[in-house]
């Protein structure tokens, strides 16, 4: 089918009208960009509000702070050995747009210093370096960017000498993009002849690594465990030998760093079992009874809040790579070109983005070890400029942990 008929078949005739206003060269590029679009995904907008039914939810057994303290030396030794043997790699998810922070630069390039410069990326490299120093071997670091921030991210690292990490141990890869539509499922434009596209969510990292040929590289290097982490938690331990050792010892296919919920109603996703598989349930999906249910030791049964720091078994990832992970339809504010050709930055949500989520990969892994960490020592996410989970709150936590700002 030619592009004209494809657009008609998917109810996207408005794009043909737009194409008619373009120069020949612009139209050629526009159609080339449209050829890349997965039109089946767009049809998901029709069921945007539908919530798939949940399976049977049950608590999941985890590794508590007390148990970690008791077996710390054993886990640390096992993790160190795995790192020294080159079995551990790290993947930094930095493809997001950080819209809540309100800066158009890559989030990791944000300066969180007070009396001197301290960039988010810099702090993360320092945290990773702790594991390198403890283990006596480098951990290869793969950084996922997006079309929107790739050049800037690479240039930022180069300009800062990779913050002292060997350049040869750092590789960048670009994540795949997904289209943005209005509430009626019509593809939006972000410029003349340019469909609005956005990164396809934090679950896109593995397929994007595959596309970049990097999963083959991991296999060639003998990497068995991949520590995937978000750009915004400046306190997190990366390639943490204790976490690596505990996950290996558990025999599970992945590990998830978790913090205990501060109180039963706290608005965080909790790790649990759904029909026997690890799953993250959002706070509003837990009944009050479940939120308050207690385990045998008196602690809350559903209290493991995820912090987006996971350890994945590479062999298992390769096995599940052909399985489709669900695409979530998410309401967002999407800048778009209106009928008059004016670029509008909406104040309120005006359409949908299509995203895959890393927590759906955890489910596919089949088994997962919740590994508890102390919130005040390992969780300082930067989502907003001020208030909750902000630059301000992260600075406070960094100071409490002895980081000079
Ligand atoms: P968030 O879900 O907090 O999104 O990302 P965000 O883009 O950083 O921020 P907002 O919502 O626009 O304010 C959690 C982690 O997943 C990464 C982010 O970079 C962050 O490390 N991410 C998110 C990607 O790498 N790609 C995506 O498509 C989305």
């Amino acid at each position: 089918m030619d592009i004209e008929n494809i657009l008609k078949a998917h109810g996207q005739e408005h794009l043909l009208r737009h194409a008619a206003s373009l120069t020949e060269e612009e139209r050629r590029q526009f159609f080339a960009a449209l050829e890349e679009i997965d039109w089946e995904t767009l049809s998901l907008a029709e069921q945007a509000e539908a919530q798939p039914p949940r399976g049977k939810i049950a608590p999941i057994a985890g590794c508590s702070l007390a148990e970690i303290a008791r077996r710390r030396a054993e886990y640390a030794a096992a993790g160190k050995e795995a790192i020294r043997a080159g079995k551990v790699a790290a993947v930094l998810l930095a493809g997001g747009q950080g819209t809540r922070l309100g800066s158009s630069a890559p989030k990791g390039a944000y300066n969180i210093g007070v009396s001197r410069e301290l960039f988010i990326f810099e702090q993360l490299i320092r945290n990773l370096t702790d594991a390198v120093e403890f283990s006596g071997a480098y951990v290869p670091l793969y950084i996922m960017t997006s079309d929107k921030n790739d050049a800037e991210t690479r240039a930022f690292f180069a300009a800062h000498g990779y913050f002292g990490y060997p350049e040869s141990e750092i590789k960048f890869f670009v994540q795949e993009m997904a289209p943005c539509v209005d509430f009626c499922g019509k593809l939006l434009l972000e410029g003349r002849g340019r469909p609005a596209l956005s990164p396809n969510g934090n679950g896109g990292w593995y397929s994007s690594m595959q596309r970049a040929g990097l999963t083959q590289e991991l296999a060639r290097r003998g990497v068995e465990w991949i520590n995937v982490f978000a750009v915004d938690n400046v306190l997190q331990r990366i390639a943490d030998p204790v976490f690596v050792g505990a996950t290996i010892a558990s025999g599970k296919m992945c590990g998830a760093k978790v913090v205990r919920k501060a109180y039963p109603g706290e608005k965080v996703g909790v790790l649990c079992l759904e029909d026997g598989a690890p799953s993250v349930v959002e706070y509003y999906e837990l009944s009050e009874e479940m939120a308050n249910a207690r385990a045998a030791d008196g602690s809350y049964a559903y209290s493991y809040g995820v912090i987006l720091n996971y350890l994945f078994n590479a062999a298992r990832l390769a096995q599940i790579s052909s399985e489709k992970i669900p695409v979530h339809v998410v309401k967002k504010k999407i800048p778009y070109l209106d009928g008059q050709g004016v670029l509008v930055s909406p104040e309120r949500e005006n359409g949908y983005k299509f995203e895959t989520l890393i927590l759906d990969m955890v489910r596919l892994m089949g088994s997962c070890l919740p590994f508890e960490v102390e919130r005040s020592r390992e969780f300082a996410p930067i989502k907003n400029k001020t208030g909750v989970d902000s630059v301000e709150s992260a600075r406070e936590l960094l100071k409490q942990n002895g980081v000079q700002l």
Side-chain angles (χ1 to χ4, degrees), residues 158-333:
H160 291 89
Y162 299 85
F163 300 108
Y165 213 72
E167 187 187 342
S168 57
E169 296 293 344
I170 298 185
K171 284 229 167 105
F172 298 87
F173 65 101
V174 181
Q175 86 173 98
E176 293 159 287
M177 304 292 275
C180 306
V181 299
D182 68 12
F183 288 138
C184 300
K186 307 275 182 222
L187 185 71
L188 292 167
L189 297 166
E190 64 183 16
R192 265 176 74 78
R194 282 191 295 129
L197 301 175
S198 78
N200 69 343
N202 60 30
W205 69 272
Y206 191 75
S207 59
S208 302
M209 272 190 108
Q210 270 182 319
R211 200 177 53 152
L214 293 173
T215 49
Q216 281 160 315
E217 177 176 305
L218 290 176
R220 229 179 15 250
R221 291 180 81 141
V223 168
E224 293 180 9
W225 296 95
I226 309 174
N227 184 203
V228 184
F229 61 99
V231 72
D232 39 39
N233 177 8
V234 284
L235 264 189
Q236 67 192 316
R237 306 283 88 216
I238 301 161
D240 174 358
V242 184
F243 178 40
V244 173
T247 306
I248 295 174
S250 74
K252 303 266 175 19
M253 288 295 111
C254 77
K257 285 209 166 181
V258 294
V259 293
R260 286 266 180 200
K261 275 209 295 194
Y263 51 95
E266 196 189 359
K267 295 180 175 176
V268 291
V270 293
L271 196 58
C272 55
L273 289 172
E274 179 178 359
D275 293 336
S279 181
V280 176
V281 176
E282 293 303 334
Y283 66 96
Y284 51 83
E285 294 176 300
L286 278 184
S287 66
E288 203 168 315
E289 194 187 327
M290 285 166 101
N292 287 290
R294 303 270 184 174
D297 65 359
S299 62
Y300 288 109
Y302 296 96
S303 67
Y304 288 143
V306 283
I307 61 170
L308 222 174
N309 187 314
Y310 297 102
L311 188 70
F312 288 97
N313 179 282
R316 175 76 185 145
L317 277 173
Q319 276 173 2
I320 62 165
S321 64
S322 57
E323 291 191 37
K324 257 199 159 350
I325 78 167
V327 175
H328 297 257
V329 186
V330 197
K331 274 189 190 165
K332 293 265 176 166
K333 290 183 213 161

Side-chain angles (χ1 to χ4, degrees), residues 109-120 122-123 126 234 382 391 395 398-399 403-405:
Y110 200 90
N111 176 18
I112 50 168
V114 179
S115 59
R116 64 190 183 95
E117 280 180 335
L118 178 64
F119 302 101
I120 293 179
E122 182 177 7
Q123 183 59 36
R126 280 196 197 174
V234 284
I382 298 178
V391 179
R395 278 187 185 138
L398 282 168
K399 273 194 251 164
V403 177
Q404 301 268 318
L405 295 171

Side-chain angles (χ1 to χ4, degrees), residues 92-102 107 144-146 149 175-176 198-205 229-233 308 332 353-358 382-384:
L92 163 55
L93 303 179
Q97 293 179 288
T99 41
R100 282 170 284 175
L101 194 56
K107 201 184 225 183
M144 182 166 84
T145 62
S146 80
N149 66 17
Q175 86 173 98
E176 293 159 287
S198 78
N200 69 343
N202 60 30
W205 69 272
F229 61 99
V231 72
D232 39 39
N233 177 8
L308 222 174
K332 293 265 176 166
K353 289 187 178 179
F354 301 93
E355 296 187 343
T356 54
L357 301 179
I358 197 164
I382 298 178
K383 300 284 183 193
N384 309 299

Side-chain angles (χ1 to χ4, degrees), residues 3 6-7 10-18 30-31 33-39 41-43 45 177-191 193-198 334-338 350-354:
I3 191 73
I6 292 176
L7 295 181
H10 290 92
Q12 305 287 336
E13 289 88 345
H14 66 295
L15 300 176
L16 289 173
R17 285 194 295 279
H18 178 68
F30 184 44
F31 284 165
L34 295 179
E35 301 271 357
E36 299 291 310
I37 286 177
D38 173 4
W39 298 101
T41 302
L42 264 66
S43 62
M177 304 292 275
C180 306
V181 299
D182 68 12
F183 288 138
C184 300
K186 307 275 182 222
L187 185 71
L188 292 167
L189 297 166
E190 64 183 16
R194 282 191 295 129
L197 301 175
S198 78
I334 306 161
Y336 68 100
L337 207 66
D338 71 7
N350 63 319
Y352 299 120
K353 289 187 178 179
F354 301 93

